[in-house]
Amino acid sequence: MSFAQNFRGPADLHTHSSVSDGTQSPRELIFAAAAAGLGTVALTDHDTTAGWHEAAAAVPDAGITLIPGMELSTRHGRVSVHMLAYLFDPENAALRAETEKIRAARMTRAATIVSNIAADYALDWEDVLAQTRPGTTIGRPHIADALVARGHSVTRSAAFDTILHPRNGYTIPLYAPDPLEAIGLIRAAGGVPVIAHPATGSRGNLIPEEIVVQMIEAGLAGLEVEHRENTVEGKAWLRELAAKYSLIETGSSDYHGAGKPNLLGENSTGIAAVAEIIAQGTGCEPVYPR
Ligand code: AMP
Ligand code: FE
Ligand code: FE
Ligand code: ZN
């Protein structure tokens, strides 16, 4: 079926389920997206495609188009860069191997963070596992939820602002591939790479323009311009970059269920941008309701 026949907006191209650090199952997320009035939603769990099958199965009943995706962890030096990837082949061996490597690193990193915290607070690995389901991509949000369950913090966000804040020294960085390598892997798998929330930091924490140019040369497709954590000046810079280098501009919620205040559809991506992503994605197809 062609895109033109099937596209329905609005489109929210960045959401998380309980397969990573969202709080709703992929099926619940698809129904929540339809209930929020969206016509198209991308599922972009961190470093995994494990939710794709369940989400796709909910599409006919929910009556919403699904764009399968992922938010891949990458790092440029000290700056963490989240790379959204759409419509890639989930069976691609090289990309799978890298995501498995990142997920394995997440496990040892989370265990280290928990033992660091356990020196000062009652908390153990079982508390964290209790916040996940089998196969979940583990991250600091699950440690935060465990801190809430133990009564050490009031909410996930409060845990991030206190015990999990880097200034306290419990948290350690995550292994992640270079963004250029990640872009190459995504494109080789037929996917469409878009930098997630590229302008959340202050000036010194932004990706330098010459690095963005290298990413474009490596195959970067777009920038997530409309995201609540991008700064006002940052969004202006991203729009300039998008115009200068003919990049796709997206807008999305980064919904995490009850794990973050972000609401489904609070930002959306225009029809031409969605069409371009679908045109460039050759690793798999969007899942249409009929
Ligand atoms: P990690 O995957 O361990 O690097 O943790 C990063 C994740 O933590 C992000 O994907 C966010 O979903 C989440 N996160 C970061 N800061 C906050 C916050 N202040 N409140 C809630 N969730 C957060
Ligand atoms: Fe997250
Ligand atoms: Fe992110
Ligand atoms: Zn995200």
Side-chain angles (χ1 to χ4, degrees), residues 14 16 21-22 46-47 71 73 80 82 106 109 113 137-144 156-161 172 174 197 229 254 256 259-261:
H14 184 169
H16 296 266
D21 54 358
H46 297 284
D47 306 313
E71 187 176 14
S73 306
S80 159
H82 287 180
R106 281 175 165 282
R109 172 211 193 209
I113 296 173
T137 297
I138 288 197
R140 286 171 292 169
H142 306 100
I143 303 173
R156 183 188 279 192
S157 295
F160 267 93
D161 292 342
I172 59 168
L174 171 67
H197 45 73
E229 288 165 32
D254 203 358
H256 282 68
K260 277 190 158 188

Side-chain angles (χ1 to χ4, degrees), residues 13-16 20-21 43-49 52 69-74 81-86 88 99 102 106 137 186 194-197 224 227 254-256 260:
L13 300 187
H14 184 169
T15 71
H16 296 266
S20 65
D21 54 358
L43 176 67
T44 55
D45 278 307
H46 297 284
D47 306 313
T48 185
T49 60
W52 284 18
M70 177 166 74
E71 187 176 14
L72 191 62
S73 306
T74 81
V81 178
H82 287 180
M83 193 66 65
L84 293 162
Y86 300 109
F88 56 89
T99 55
I102 297 166
R106 281 175 165 282
T137 297
I186 293 162
V194 173
I195 310 178
H197 45 73
E224 189 180 57
H227 183 291
D254 203 358
Y255 177 74
H256 282 68
K260 277 190 158 188

